[in-house]
Amino acid sequence: MIFLLMFTLSRLTHSELFTSSLKLCHLLNMELEKLNSLEDLTHEANLNDKFSSMIQKIRQELPKYYFNQPSYPIDDCLDEDSRISRFVTNPVNAYMLIYRFNSVWPELQSVAQAHGNPEIANYSEFLALSPNELKGARDAFYRLQVFYMLEPVHLSDGTLSPEWKSISKSWTIIPKGLTPTDMYEIGRIAFGYKDNESSKAWMLTALKHIQKHDIKNDELVFDILDHLSWSE
């Protein structure tokens, strides 16, 4: 629970909708239930490739080898050692959960509506979060980094630090780390707080990630380099 406690404490000044492990766990439980149902529907309905591809991408972040039950009792959220509770207590997993509800699920619904399948569109309808929720989550990562003196490279992949790496990996899985865009946005938040050192650290981590994985995003690279020039 220490992971989410760190994440939660750093978000107390932002929106209160997702400031507890219980609420995050309930959200994850609902997402898993909807995802399982939509996967069943995709086998029955004639859906376009984009919709199916988006479902698959969500599943990659909630892999079946880990979430291998058709459903999880809501009471599992009261057990800190349950699989879904452990998963959502990692800050990166909690962030990705908020990101999916903020961006991915609304887009999925739009794709279903455009495809002319209102039944699927309604079935995939979710609570849309305000942009402030995502900004608050990014702000939380900045506060975590500063308060616990963590390196962005370890914070962004969910291991938190070399000392915490083995504990983080044994506690739960971390299917997807922060993207370079996430790191860049956190760096911008640090820059807004006039914390040039932290801003530079996040920007450099984003840039190294882009170079290591050969990601083609010239606009993002330009923005990162621009902020780095101001962070010197």
Side-chain angles (χ1 to χ4, degrees), residues 17-18 27 97-103 106 126-134:
L17 184 56
F18 295 107
L27 191 65
L97 175 65
I98 294 172
Y99 179 84
R100 288 193 299 274
F101 273 77
N102 185 275
S103 303
F126 269 89
L127 170 67
L129 305 185
S130 74
N132 288 335
E133 283 295 331
L134 191 58

Side-chain angles (χ1 to χ4, degrees), residues 82-179:
S82 71
R83 184 156 290 198
I84 57 175
S85 288
R86 282 190 172 218
F87 183 83
V88 83
T89 54
N90 185 281
V92 169
N93 290 341
Y95 173 85
M96 296 310 302
L97 175 65
I98 294 172
Y99 179 84
R100 288 193 299 274
F101 273 77
N102 185 275
S103 303
V104 180
W105 282 104
E107 183 182 357
L108 187 70
Q109 184 183 4
S110 297
V111 170
Q113 289 172 337
H115 186 61
N117 196 321
E119 178 184 358
I120 298 294
N122 292 335
Y123 207 85
S124 61
E125 185 172 3
F126 269 89
L127 170 67
L129 305 185
S130 74
N132 288 335
E133 283 295 331
L134 191 58
K135 183 179 183 300
R138 287 168 174 162
D139 197 297
F141 269 96
Y142 164 68
R143 293 173 183 272
L144 278 178
Q145 177 242 326
V146 172
F147 188 81
Y148 291 98
M149 295 182 289
L150 302 174
E151 295 292 333
V153 64
H154 301 303
L155 190 52
S156 63
D157 67 8
T159 58
L160 305 185
S161 72
E163 295 78 14
W164 282 83
K165 185 174 182 178
S166 60
I167 298 176
S168 300
K169 289 191 172 183
S170 64
W171 181 254
T172 188
I173 62 169
I174 309 162
K176 182 180 179 180
L178 299 183
T179 68

